[in-house]
Amino acid sequence: MLLLMIKSSLGERSTVTGLAERMQLTQSTVTELVTRAESAGLVRREQSLDDARVFWLHLTADGDSRLSRAVERNGGERRRLLELLMGAAA
């Protein structure tokens, strides 16, 4: 979910604060998730050129690749769920 939230952010980058708001989690929880993802080589932090207090989060090539594979793997399941939901609404 973290990788998807970063990828879907404006400019494919986000801050911990921005992620915490979007994911409705505490900032400390998101910080821990980001630290783990960074240690795994999935996310990198880049200090803002405009404000030294801000660090932008970006997916690494490996993070982007893993996210793409997860989306591909689960695409059929999402289509099936959508079909079920659309059938229930009819």
Side-chain angles (χ1 to χ4, degrees):
M1 181 61 107
L2 177 74
L3 301 181
L4 180 60
M5 295 303 280
I6 294 171
K7 181 77 172 181
S8 66
S9 296
L10 184 62
E12 295 186 8
R13 68 181 191 173
S14 187
T15 61
V16 168
T17 301
L19 289 174
E21 290 171 1
R22 289 180 69 201
M23 297 174 76
Q24 298 183 10
L25 297 171
T26 65
Q27 191 161 343
S28 61
T29 298
V30 174
T31 298
E32 178 63 26
L33 292 171
V34 168
T35 299
R36 289 179 185 184
E38 187 177 31
S39 295
L42 304 175
V43 172
R44 66 180 169 84
R45 299 175 201 235
E46 178 183 310
Q47 191 169 20
S48 170
L49 299 176
D50 301 321
D51 186 340
R53 297 169 296 173
V54 174
F55 283 83
W56 291 106
L57 305 171
H58 302 267
L59 298 186
T60 63
D62 189 30
D64 197 43
S65 175
R66 287 191 191 194
L67 177 60
S68 294
R69 286 194 313 265
V71 168
E72 287 172 14
R73 256 193 330 264
N74 296 317
E77 292 175 21
R78 282 196 310 274
R79 279 190 297 277
R80 177 72 179 131
L81 179 58
L82 183 58
E83 289 170 3
L84 291 170
L85 291 172
M86 295 303 285

Coordinates of all heavy atoms in Angstrom, one line a residue:
M1 N 0.8 -1.2 0.0 CA 0.0 0.0 0.0 C 0.9 1.3 0.0 O 0.6 2.2 -0.7 CB -0.9 0.0 1.2 CG -1.8 1.1 1.3 SD -3.0 1.3 -0.1 CE -4.5 0.8 0.7
L2 N 2.0 1.2 0.8 CA 2.9 2.4 0.8 C 3.4 2.7 -0.5 O 3.4 3.9 -0.9 CB 4.0 2.1 1.8 CG 5.0 3.2 1.9 CD1 4.5 4.4 2.7 CD2 6.3 2.7 2.6
L3 N 3.9 1.7 -1.3 CA 4.4 2.0 -2.6 C 3.4 2.6 -3.5 O 3.7 3.5 -4.3 CB 5.0 0.7 -3.2 CG 6.1 0.0 -2.4 CD1 6.6 -1.2 -3.1 CD2 7.3 1.0 -2.1
L4 N 2.2 2.0 -3.5 CA 1.1 2.5 -4.3 C 0.8 4.0 -4.0 O 0.5 4.8 -4.9 CB -0.1 1.6 -4.2 CG -1.3 2.0 -5.0 CD1 -1.0 2.0 -6.5 CD2 -2.5 1.1 -4.7
M5 N 0.7 4.3 -2.7 CA 0.4 5.7 -2.3 C 1.5 6.7 -2.8 O 1.2 7.8 -3.2 CB 0.2 5.7 -0.8 CG -0.9 4.9 -0.3 SD -2.5 5.4 -1.0 CE -2.9 6.8 -0.1
I6 N 2.7 6.3 -2.7 CA 3.8 7.1 -3.2 C 3.7 7.3 -4.7 O 3.7 8.4 -5.2 CB 5.2 6.6 -2.8 CG1 5.4 6.7 -1.3 CG2 6.3 7.4 -3.5 CD1 6.6 6.0 -0.8
K7 N 3.5 6.2 -5.4 CA 3.5 6.2 -6.9 C 2.3 7.0 -7.4 O 2.4 7.7 -8.4 CB 3.3 4.8 -7.4 CG 3.3 4.6 -8.9 CD 4.6 4.8 -9.5 CE 4.5 4.4 -11.0 NZ 5.8 4.6 -11.6
S8 N 1.2 7.0 -6.6 CA 0.0 7.7 -7.1 C -0.1 9.2 -6.6 O -1.0 9.9 -6.9 CB -1.3 7.0 -6.6 OG -1.4 7.0 -5.2
S9 N 0.9 9.6 -5.9 CA 1.0 11.0 -5.4 C 1.4 11.9 -6.6 O 2.1 11.5 -7.5 CB 2.0 11.1 -4.3 OG 1.6 10.4 -3.2
L10 N 1.1 13.2 -6.5 CA 1.4 14.1 -7.5 C 2.9 14.1 -7.7 O 3.7 14.3 -6.7 CB 1.0 15.5 -7.1 CG 1.2 16.7 -8.0 CD1 0.4 16.4 -9.3 CD2 0.7 18.0 -7.4
G11 N 3.4 13.9 -8.9 CA 4.8 13.9 -9.2 C 5.5 12.6 -8.8 O 6.7 12.5 -8.8
E12 N 4.7 11.6 -8.4 CA 5.2 10.3 -7.9 C 6.1 10.5 -6.8 O 7.1 9.8 -6.6 CB 5.8 9.5 -9.1 CG 4.8 9.1 -10.2 CD 5.4 8.2 -11.2 OE1 6.6 7.7 -11.1 OE2 4.7 8.0 -12.2
R13 N 5.8 11.4 -5.9 CA 6.6 11.6 -4.7 C 5.7 12.1 -3.6 O 4.6 12.7 -3.9 CB 7.7 12.6 -4.9 CG 7.2 14.0 -5.2 CD 8.3 15.0 -5.4 NE 7.8 16.4 -5.4 CZ 8.5 17.5 -5.5 NH1 9.9 17.3 -5.5 NH2 8.0 18.6 -5.4
S14 N 6.1 11.9 -2.4 CA 5.3 12.3 -1.2 C 6.2 12.6 0.0 O 7.3 12.2 0.0 CB 4.2 11.3 -0.9 OG 3.3 11.8 0.1
T15 N 5.6 13.1 1.0 CA 6.3 13.2 2.3 C 5.6 12.3 3.3 O 4.5 11.8 3.0 CB 6.1 14.7 2.8 OG1 4.7 15.0 3.0 CG2 6.8 15.7 1.9
V16 N 6.3 12.1 4.4 CA 5.7 11.2 5.4 C 4.4 11.8 5.9 O 3.4 11.1 6.0 CB 6.7 11.0 6.6 CG1 6.0 10.4 7.8 CG2 7.8 10.1 6.2
T17 N 4.4 13.1 6.1 CA 3.1 13.8 6.5 C 2.0 13.6 5.5 O 0.9 13.3 5.9 CB 3.4 15.3 6.8 OG1 4.4 15.4 7.8 CG2 2.2 16.0 7.2
G18 N 2.3 13.8 4.2 CA 1.3 13.6 3.2 C 0.8 12.2 3.2 O -0.4 12.0 3.0
L19 N 1.7 11.2 3.3 CA 1.2 9.8 3.3 C 0.4 9.5 4.6 O -0.6 8.8 4.5 CB 2.4 8.9 3.3 CG 3.2 8.8 2.0 CD1 4.5 7.9 2.2 CD2 2.4 8.2 0.9
A20 N 0.8 10.1 5.7 CA 0.0 9.8 6.9 C -1.4 10.3 6.8 O -2.4 9.7 7.2 CB 0.7 10.5 8.1
E21 N -1.6 11.5 6.1 CA -2.9 12.1 5.9 C -3.7 11.2 5.0 O -4.9 10.9 5.2 CB -2.8 13.5 5.4 CG -2.3 14.5 6.4 CD -2.0 15.8 5.8 OE1 -2.2 16.0 4.6 OE2 -1.5 16.7 6.5
R22 N -3.1 10.8 3.9 CA -3.8 10.0 2.8 C -4.1 8.6 3.3 O -5.2 8.1 3.0 CB -2.9 9.9 1.6 CG -2.9 11.2 0.8 CD -2.0 11.1 -0.4 NE -2.7 10.3 -1.4 CZ -2.1 9.7 -2.4 NH1 -0.8 9.8 -2.6 NH2 -2.8 9.0 -3.3
M23 N -3.2 8.0 4.1 CA -3.4 6.6 4.6 C -4.2 6.6 5.9 O -4.6 5.5 6.4 CB -2.1 5.9 4.8 CG -1.3 5.8 3.4 SD 0.3 5.1 3.7 CE -0.1 3.4 3.9
Q24 N -4.5 7.8 6.5 CA -5.2 7.9 7.8 C -4.5 7.1 8.9 O -5.1 6.3 9.6 CB -6.6 7.5 7.6 CG -7.4 8.4 6.7 CD -8.8 8.1 6.6 OE1 -9.4 7.3 7.3 NE2 -9.5 8.7 5.6
L25 N -3.1 7.2 8.9 CA -2.3 6.6 9.9 C -1.5 7.7 10.7 O -1.4 8.8 10.2 CB -1.3 5.6 9.3 CG -1.9 4.4 8.5 CD1 -0.8 3.7 7.8 CD2 -2.6 3.5 9.5
T26 N -1.0 7.3 11.8 CA -0.2 8.3 12.5 C 1.2 8.5 11.8 O 1.6 7.6 11.1 CB 0.1 7.9 14.0 OG1 0.9 6.7 13.9 CG2 -1.1 7.6 14.8
Q27 N 1.7 9.7 12.0 CA 3.0 10.0 11.3 C 4.1 9.0 11.8 O 4.9 8.6 11.0 CB 3.4 11.4 11.7 CG 4.6 11.9 10.8 CD 4.7 13.4 10.7 OE1 3.8 14.1 11.1 NE2 5.8 13.9 10.3
S28 N 4.1 8.6 13.1 CA 5.1 7.6 13.5 C 4.9 6.3 12.9 O 5.9 5.6 12.5 CB 5.1 7.5 15.0 OG 3.8 7.0 15.5
T29 N 3.7 5.9 12.6 CA 3.5 4.6 11.9 C 4.0 4.6 10.5 O 4.7 3.7 10.0 CB 2.0 4.2 11.9 OG1 1.5 4.1 13.3 CG2 1.7 3.0 11.1
V30 N 3.7 5.7 9.8 CA 4.2 5.9 8.4 C 5.7 6.0 8.4 O 6.4 5.4 7.5 CB 3.5 7.1 7.7 CG1 4.1 7.3 6.3 CG2 2.0 6.8 7.6
T31 N 6.3 6.7 9.3 CA 7.7 6.8 9.4 C 8.4 5.4 9.5 O 9.4 5.1 8.8 CB 8.2 7.7 10.6 OG1 7.7 9.0 10.4 CG2 9.7 7.8 10.7
E32 N 7.8 4.6 10.3 CA 8.3 3.2 10.5 C 8.2 2.4 9.2 O 9.1 1.7 8.8 CB 7.6 2.5 11.6 CG 8.0 1.1 11.8 CD 9.5 0.9 12.2 OE1 10.1 1.8 12.8 OE2 10.1 -0.2 11.9
L33 N 7.0 2.5 8.5 CA 6.9 1.8 7.2 C 7.9 2.3 6.2 O 8.4 1.5 5.5 CB 5.4 2.1 6.7 CG 4.3 1.5 7.5 CD1 3.0 2.0 7.0 CD2 4.4 -0.1 7.4
V34 N 8.1 3.6 6.2 CA 9.0 4.2 5.2 C 10.5 3.7 5.5 O 11.2 3.4 4.6 CB 9.0 5.7 5.2 CG1 10.1 6.3 4.4 CG2 7.6 6.2 4.6
T35 N 10.8 3.7 6.8 CA 12.1 3.2 7.2 C 12.4 1.8 6.8 O 13.4 1.5 6.2 CB 12.3 3.4 8.7 OG1 12.2 4.8 9.0 CG2 13.7 2.9 9.2
R36 N 11.4 1.0 7.0 CA 11.5 -0.4 6.5 C 11.6 -0.6 5.0 O 12.4 -1.3 4.5 CB 10.3 -1.3 7.0 CG 10.3 -1.5 8.5 CD 9.1 -2.3 8.9 NE 9.0 -2.4 10.4 CZ 8.1 -3.1 11.0 NH1 7.2 -3.7 10.3 NH2 8.1 -3.1 12.3
A37 N 10.8 0.2 4.3 CA 10.8 0.2 2.8 C 12.2 0.7 2.3 O 12.7 0.2 1.4 CB 9.7 1.0 2.3
E38 N 12.7 1.7 3.0 CA 14.0 2.3 2.6 C 15.1 1.2 2.8 O 16.0 1.0 2.0 CB 14.2 3.5 3.4 CG 15.5 4.3 3.0 CD 15.7 5.6 3.7 OE1 15.3 5.7 4.9 OE2 16.3 6.5 3.1
S39 N 15.0 0.6 4.0 CA 16.0 -0.5 4.3 C 16.0 -1.6 3.3 O 17.0 -2.2 3.0 CB 15.8 -1.0 5.7 OG 16.0 0.0 6.7
A40 N 14.8 -1.9 2.8 CA 14.6 -3.0 1.8 C 15.0 -2.5 0.4 O 14.9 -3.3 -0.6 CB 13.2 -3.5 1.8
G41 N 15.3 -1.2 0.2 CA 15.7 -0.7 -1.1 C 14.5 -0.4 -2.0 O 14.7 -0.3 -3.2
L42 N 13.4 -0.2 -1.4 CA 12.2 0.1 -2.2 C 11.8 1.6 -2.3 O 11.2 2.0 -3.3 CB 11.0 -0.6 -1.6 CG 11.1 -2.1 -1.4 CD1 9.9 -2.7 -0.7 CD2 11.3 -2.8 -2.8
V43 N 12.3 2.4 -1.4 CA 12.0 3.8 -1.3 C 13.3 4.5 -1.0 O 14.2 4.0 -0.3 CB 11.0 4.1 -0.2 CG1 10.8 5.5 0.1 CG2 9.7 3.4 -0.5
R44 N 13.4 5.7 -1.5 CA 14.5 6.6 -1.2 C 14.0 8.0 -0.8 O 13.0 8.4 -1.2 CB 15.5 6.7 -2.4 CG 15.0 7.5 -3.6 CD 16.0 7.6 -4.7 NE 15.4 8.0 -5.9 CZ 15.2 9.3 -6.2 NH1 15.6 10.2 -5.3 NH2 14.6 9.7 -7.3
R45 N 14.8 8.6 0.1 CA 14.4 9.9 0.6 C 15.3 10.9 -0.1 O 16.5 10.7 -0.3 CB 14.6 10.0 2.1 CG 13.8 9.1 2.9 CD 14.2 9.2 4.4 NE 13.8 8.1 5.1 CZ 13.0 8.1 6.2 NH1 12.6 9.2 6.7 NH2 12.7 7.0 6.8
E46 N 14.7 12.1 -0.4 CA 15.5 13.1 -1.1 C 15.1 14.5 -0.4 O 14.0 14.8 -0.4 CB 15.1 13.2 -2.6 CG 15.8 14.3 -3.4 CD 15.4 14.3 -4.8 OE1 15.4 13.2 -5.4 OE2 15.0 15.4 -5.3
Q47 N 16.1 15.2 0.1 CA 15.9 16.4 0.8 C 15.4 17.5 -0.2 O 16.0 17.6 -1.3 CB 17.1 16.9 1.5 CG 16.9 18.0 2.5 CD 18.1 18.3 3.4 OE1 19.2 17.9 3.1 NE2 17.8 19.0 4.5
S48 N 14.4 18.2 0.2 CA 13.8 19.3 -0.7 C 14.9 20.4 -0.9 O 15.6 20.7 0.1 CB 12.6 19.8 0.0 OG 12.2 21.0 -0.7
L49 N 14.9 20.9 -2.1 CA 15.8 22.0 -2.4 C 15.2 23.3 -1.8 O 16.0 24.3 -1.6 CB 16.1 22.1 -3.9 CG 16.7 20.9 -4.5 CD1 16.8 21.1 -6.0 CD2 18.1 20.6 -3.9
D50 N 13.9 23.3 -1.6 CA 13.2 24.5 -1.2 C 13.1 24.7 0.3 O 13.1 25.8 0.9 CB 11.8 24.6 -1.8 CG 11.8 24.6 -3.3 OD1 12.7 25.2 -3.9 OD2 10.9 23.9 -3.9
D51 N 13.1 23.5 1.0 CA 12.9 23.5 2.5 C 13.7 22.4 3.1 O 13.3 21.2 2.9 CB 11.4 23.4 2.8 CG 11.1 23.6 4.3 OD1 12.0 23.4 5.1 OD2 10.0 23.8 4.6
A52 N 14.8 22.6 3.8 CA 15.7 21.6 4.3 C 15.0 20.7 5.3 O 15.5 19.6 5.6 CB 16.9 22.2 4.9
R53 N 13.8 21.1 5.8 CA 13.1 20.2 6.8 C 12.3 19.2 6.1 O 11.8 18.2 6.7 CB 12.1 21.1 7.6 CG 12.8 22.1 8.5 CD 11.8 23.1 9.0 NE 11.2 23.8 8.0 CZ 10.2 24.7 8.1 NH1 9.6 24.9 9.3 NH2 9.6 25.3 7.1
V54 N 12.1 19.3 4.8 CA 11.2 18.4 4.0 C 12.0 17.4 3.3 O 13.1 17.7 2.6 CB 10.4 19.2 3.0 CG1 9.6 18.3 2.1 CG2 9.4 20.2 3.7
F55 N 11.6 16.1 3.4 CA 12.2 15.0 2.6 C 11.2 14.4 1.7 O 10.1 14.0 2.2 CB 12.8 14.0 3.6 CG 14.1 14.4 4.2 CD1 14.2 15.2 5.3 CD2 15.3 14.0 3.6 CE1 15.4 15.6 5.8 CE2 16.5 14.4 4.1 CZ 16.5 15.2 5.3
W56 N 11.4 14.4 0.4 CA 10.5 13.7 -0.5 C 10.8 12.2 -0.6 O 12.0 11.8 -0.6 CB 10.7 14.4 -1.9 CG 10.2 15.8 -1.9 CD1 10.9 16.9 -2.0 CD2 8.8 16.2 -1.9 NE1 10.1 18.0 -2.0 CE2 8.8 17.6 -2.0 CE3 7.6 15.5 -1.9 CZ2 7.6 18.3 -2.0 CZ3 6.4 16.2 -1.9 CH2 6.4 17.6 -2.0
L57 N 9.8 11.5 -0.7 CA 9.9 10.0 -0.8 C 9.6 9.6 -2.3 O 8.6 10.1 -2.8 CB 8.9 9.3 0.1 CG 9.0 9.7 1.6 CD1 7.8 9.1 2.3 CD2 10.3 9.3 2.2
H58 N 10.5 8.8 -2.8 CA 10.4 8.3 -4.2 C 10.5 6.8 -4.2 O 11.3 6.3 -3.4 CB 11.5 8.9 -5.1 CG 11.5 10.4 -5.1 ND1 10.9 11.1 -6.1 CD2 12.2 11.3 -4.4 CE1 11.1 12.4 -5.9 NE2 11.9 12.5 -4.9
L59 N 9.9 6.1 -5.1 CA 10.2 4.7 -5.3 C 11.5 4.6 -6.0 O 11.9 5.3 -6.9 CB 9.1 4.1 -6.2 CG 7.7 4.1 -5.7 CD1 6.8 3.2 -6.6 CD2 7.6 3.6 -4.3
T60 N 12.3 3.5 -5.6 CA 13.5 3.2 -6.3 C 13.1 2.3 -7.5 O 11.9 2.0 -7.7 CB 14.4 2.3 -5.4 OG1 13.7 1.1 -5.1 CG2 14.8 3.1 -4.2
A61 N 14.0 2.0 -8.4 CA 13.7 1.2 -9.5 C 13.1 -0.2 -9.1 O 12.2 -0.7 -9.6 CB 14.9 0.9 -10.4
D62 N 13.7 -0.7 -8.0 CA 13.2 -2.0 -7.4 C 11.8 -1.8 -6.9 O 10.9 -2.7 -7.0 CB 14.2 -2.5 -6.4 CG 13.8 -3.9 -5.9 OD1 13.3 -4.7 -6.7 OD2 14.1 -4.3 -4.7
G63 N 11.6 -0.7 -6.2 CA 10.2 -0.5 -5.6 C 9.2 -0.4 -6.7 O 8.1 -0.9 -6.6
D64 N 9.5 0.3 -7.8 CA 8.6 0.5 -8.9 C 8.3 -0.8 -9.6 O 7.2 -1.2 -9.9 CB 9.2 1.5 -9.9 CG 8.2 2.0 -10.9 OD1 7.1 2.4 -10.4 OD2 8.5 2.1 -12.1
S65 N 9.4 -1.6 -9.7 CA 9.3 -3.0 -10.3 C 8.4 -3.9 -9.5 O 7.5 -4.6 -10.0 CB 10.6 -3.6 -10.5 OG 10.5 -4.9 -11.0
R66 N 8.6 -3.9 -8.2 CA 7.8 -4.7 -7.3 C 6.3 -4.3 -7.3 O 5.4 -5.1 -7.3 CB 8.3 -4.7 -5.9 CG 9.6 -5.5 -5.8 CD 9.9 -5.7 -4.3 NE 11.3 -6.2 -4.2 CZ 11.7 -6.7 -3.1 NH1 11.0 -6.7 -2.0 NH2 13.0 -7.2 -3.0
L67 N 6.1 -3.0 -7.3 CA 4.7 -2.5 -7.4 C 4.0 -2.9 -8.7 O 2.9 -3.4 -8.7 CB 4.7 -1.0 -7.2 CG 3.3 -0.3 -7.3 CD1 2.4 -0.8 -6.3 CD2 3.4 1.2 -7.3
S68 N 4.7 -2.8 -9.8 CA 4.2 -3.2 -11.1 C 3.8 -4.7 -11.1 O 2.8 -5.0 -11.6 CB 5.2 -2.9 -12.2 OG 5.4 -1.5 -12.3
R69 N 4.7 -5.5 -10.6 CA 4.4 -6.9 -10.5 C 3.2 -7.2 -9.6 O 2.4 -8.1 -10.0 CB 5.7 -7.7 -10.0 CG 6.8 -7.8 -11.1 CD 7.8 -8.8 -10.7 NE 8.3 -8.8 -9.3 CZ 9.4 -8.1 -8.9 NH1 10.1 -7.5 -9.8 NH2 9.8 -8.2 -7.7
A70 N 3.1 -6.6 -8.5 CA 1.9 -6.8 -7.6 C 0.6 -6.4 -8.3 O -0.4 -7.1 -8.2 CB 2.1 -6.0 -6.3
V71 N 0.7 -5.3 -9.1 CA -0.5 -4.8 -9.8 C -0.9 -5.8 -10.8 O -2.1 -6.2 -11.0 CB -0.3 -3.4 -10.4 CG1 -1.4 -3.1 -11.3 CG2 -0.2 -2.4 -9.2
E72 N 0.1 -6.3 -11.6 CA -0.2 -7.3 -12.6 C -0.7 -8.6 -12.0 O -1.7 -9.2 -12.6 CB 1.1 -7.7 -13.4 CG 1.6 -6.6 -14.3 CD 3.0 -6.8 -14.9 OE1 3.5 -8.0 -14.8 OE2 3.6 -5.9 -15.4
R73 N -0.2 -9.1 -10.9 CA -0.6 -10.3 -10.3 C -2.1 -10.2 -9.8 O -2.8 -11.2 -9.8 CB 0.3 -10.6 -9.1 CG 1.3 -11.7 -9.3 CD 1.9 -12.2 -8.0 NE 2.0 -11.2 -6.9 CZ 3.1 -10.5 -6.7 NH1 4.2 -10.6 -7.4 NH2 3.2 -9.7 -5.7
N74 N -2.4 -9.0 -9.3 CA -3.8 -8.9 -8.7 C -4.8 -8.3 -9.7 O -5.9 -8.1 -9.3 CB -3.7 -8.0 -7.5 CG -2.8 -8.7 -6.4 OD1 -2.9 -9.9 -6.2 ND2 -1.9 -7.9 -5.8
G75 N -4.4 -8.0 -10.9 CA -5.3 -7.4 -11.8 C -6.6 -8.3 -12.1 O -7.7 -7.8 -12.1
G76 N -6.4 -9.6 -12.3 CA -7.5 -10.5 -12.5 C -8.5 -10.5 -11.3 O -9.7 -10.5 -11.5
E77 N -7.9 -10.5 -10.1 CA -8.8 -10.5 -8.9 C -9.6 -9.2 -8.9 O -10.8 -9.3 -8.5 CB -7.9 -10.6 -7.7 CG -7.3 -12.0 -7.6 CD -6.3 -12.1 -6.4 OE1 -6.5 -11.2 -5.5 OE2 -5.4 -12.9 -6.4
R78 N -9.0 -8.1 -9.2 CA -9.8 -6.8 -9.1 C -10.9 -6.8 -10.2 O -12.0 -6.4 -9.9 CB -8.8 -5.7 -9.3 CG -8.0 -5.3 -8.1 CD -7.4 -3.9 -8.2 NE -6.7 -3.7 -9.5 CZ -5.4 -4.1 -9.6 NH1 -4.8 -4.6 -8.7 NH2 -4.8 -3.9 -10.8
R79 N -10.6 -7.3 -11.4 CA -11.6 -7.4 -12.4 C -12.8 -8.3 -12.0 O -13.9 -7.9 -12.2 CB -11.0 -7.9 -13.7 CG -10.3 -6.8 -14.5 CD -9.9 -7.3 -15.9 NE -9.0 -8.4 -15.9 CZ -7.7 -8.3 -15.8 NH1 -7.1 -7.1 -15.7 NH2 -6.9 -9.4 -15.8
R80 N -12.5 -9.4 -11.4 CA -13.5 -10.3 -10.9 C -14.3 -9.7 -9.8 O -15.6 -9.8 -9.8 CB -12.8 -11.6 -10.4 CG -13.8 -12.6 -9.8 CD -14.7 -13.3 -10.9 NE -15.6 -14.2 -10.3 CZ -16.9 -14.3 -10.5 NH1 -17.4 -13.5 -11.4 NH2 -17.6 -15.1 -9.9
L81 N -13.7 -9.0 -8.9 CA -14.4 -8.3 -7.8 C -15.3 -7.2 -8.4 O -16.5 -7.1 -8.0 CB -13.4 -7.7 -6.8 CG -14.1 -6.9 -5.7 CD1 -15.0 -7.8 -4.9 CD2 -13.0 -6.3 -4.8
L82 N -14.8 -6.5 -9.4 CA -15.6 -5.5 -10.0 C -16.9 -6.1 -10.7 O -18.0 -5.6 -10.6 CB -14.8 -4.7 -11.1 CG -15.5 -3.5 -11.8 CD1 -16.1 -2.5 -10.8 CD2 -14.6 -2.9 -12.7
E83 N -16.7 -7.2 -11.4 CA -17.8 -7.9 -12.1 C -18.8 -8.4 -11.0 O -20.0 -8.2 -11.2 CB -17.3 -9.1 -12.8 CG -16.5 -8.8 -14.1 CD -15.8 -10.0 -14.7 OE1 -16.0 -11.2 -14.1 OE2 -15.0 -9.9 -15.6
L84 N -18.3 -8.9 -9.9 CA -19.3 -9.3 -8.8 C -20.0 -8.1 -8.3 O -21.2 -8.2 -8.0 CB -18.5 -10.0 -7.7 CG -18.0 -11.4 -8.1 CD1 -17.0 -11.9 -6.9 CD2 -19.1 -12.4 -8.3
L85 N -19.3 -7.0 -8.1 CA -20.0 -5.8 -7.5 C -21.0 -5.2 -8.5 O -22.1 -4.8 -8.1 CB -18.9 -4.8 -7.1 CG -18.1 -5.1 -5.9 CD1 -17.0 -4.1 -5.8 CD2 -18.9 -5.2 -4.6
M86 N -20.6 -5.2 -9.8 CA -21.5 -4.7 -10.8 C -22.7 -5.6 -10.9 O -23.8 -5.1 -11.1 CB -20.8 -4.5 -12.1 CG -19.6 -3.5 -12.1 SD -20.2 -1.8 -11.6 CE -21.0 -1.3 -13.0
G87 N -22.5 -6.9 -10.8 CA -23.6 -7.8 -10.9 C -24.6 -7.7 -9.8 O -25.8 -7.8 -9.9
A88 N -24.0 -7.4 -8.6 CA -24.9 -7.2 -7.4 C -25.7 -6.0 -7.5 O -26.8 -5.9 -6.9 CB -24.0 -7.3 -6.1
A89 N -25.1 -5.0 -8.2 CA -25.8 -3.7 -8.3 C -27.0 -3.7 -9.3 O -27.9 -2.9 -9.2 CB -24.8 -2.6 -8.6
A90 N -26.9 -4.7 -10.2 CA -27.9 -4.8 -11.3 C -29.2 -5.3 -10.8 O -29.4 -5.9 -9.8 CB -27.4 -5.6 -12.4

